[in-house]
């Protein structure tokens, strides 16, 4: 009897125990689905940084604070995302915050990000670095 190697789908970079296609891949890169919560948008934006999806990052940035361009470093190696706290940001809110720690090779980024709804879709407004 021969055994066929099963091909495992890669886990989502955002840290949830789902495959990428069933998790953040639903939102990236085309935006076929919109993230239903601020936390889901935060996770998908982290995945976008991992996958160098510049267009998705710009599209999910609030028009008021969106930069004209975004340079991503292909040498950056993101290694994990930890959601530390969320405030509001559900289907019943118009704004919310997500506090997280994003690890990369050589360090980490600790931030409280603010999100708002624009035309019904969650977008990233800005963030405060927390040391």
């Amino acid at each position: 009897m021969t055994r066929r190697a099963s091909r495992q789908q890669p886990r989502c970079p955002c840290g949830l125990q789902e495959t990428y296609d069933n998790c953040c891949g639903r939102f990236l890169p085309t935006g076929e689905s919109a993230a239903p919560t601020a936390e889901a948008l935060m996770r998908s934006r982290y995945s976008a940084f991992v996958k160098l999806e510049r267009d998705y990052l710009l599209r999910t940035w609030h028009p008021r604070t969106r930069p004209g361009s975004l340079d991503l470093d292909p040498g950056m190696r993101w290694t994990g995302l930890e959601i530390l706290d969320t405030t509001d940001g559900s289907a019943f809110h118009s704004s919310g915050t997500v506090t997280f720690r994003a690890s990369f090779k050589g360090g980490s980024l600790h931030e409280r990000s603010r999100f708002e709804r624009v035309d019904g879709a969650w977008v990233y407004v800005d963030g405060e670095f927390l040391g």
Side-chain angles (χ1 to χ4, degrees), residues 40-59:
L41 181 63
M42 173 61 233
R43 288 180 178 280
S44 71
R45 286 177 55 84
Y46 173 83
S47 293
F49 276 102
V50 170
K51 294 186 168 288
L52 303 174
E53 293 285 352
R54 177 180 297 112
D55 291 343
Y56 180 79
L57 290 165
L58 289 170
R59 187 172 59 252

Side-chain angles (χ1 to χ4, degrees), residues 47-98:
S47 293
F49 276 102
V50 170
K51 294 186 168 288
L52 303 174
E53 293 285 352
R54 177 180 297 112
D55 291 343
Y56 180 79
L57 290 165
L58 289 170
R59 187 172 59 252
T60 58
W61 213 306
H62 197 292
R64 185 177 71 238
T65 58
R66 179 187 305 133
S69 64
L70 184 62
D71 293 323
L72 300 177
D73 180 359
M76 179 67 118
R77 294 294 172 244
W78 295 99
T79 58
L81 176 67
E82 181 183 6
I83 302 298
L84 303 171
D85 189 36
T86 61
T87 304
D88 299 336
S90 77
F92 303 104
H93 300 106
S94 59
S95 64
T97 64
V98 178

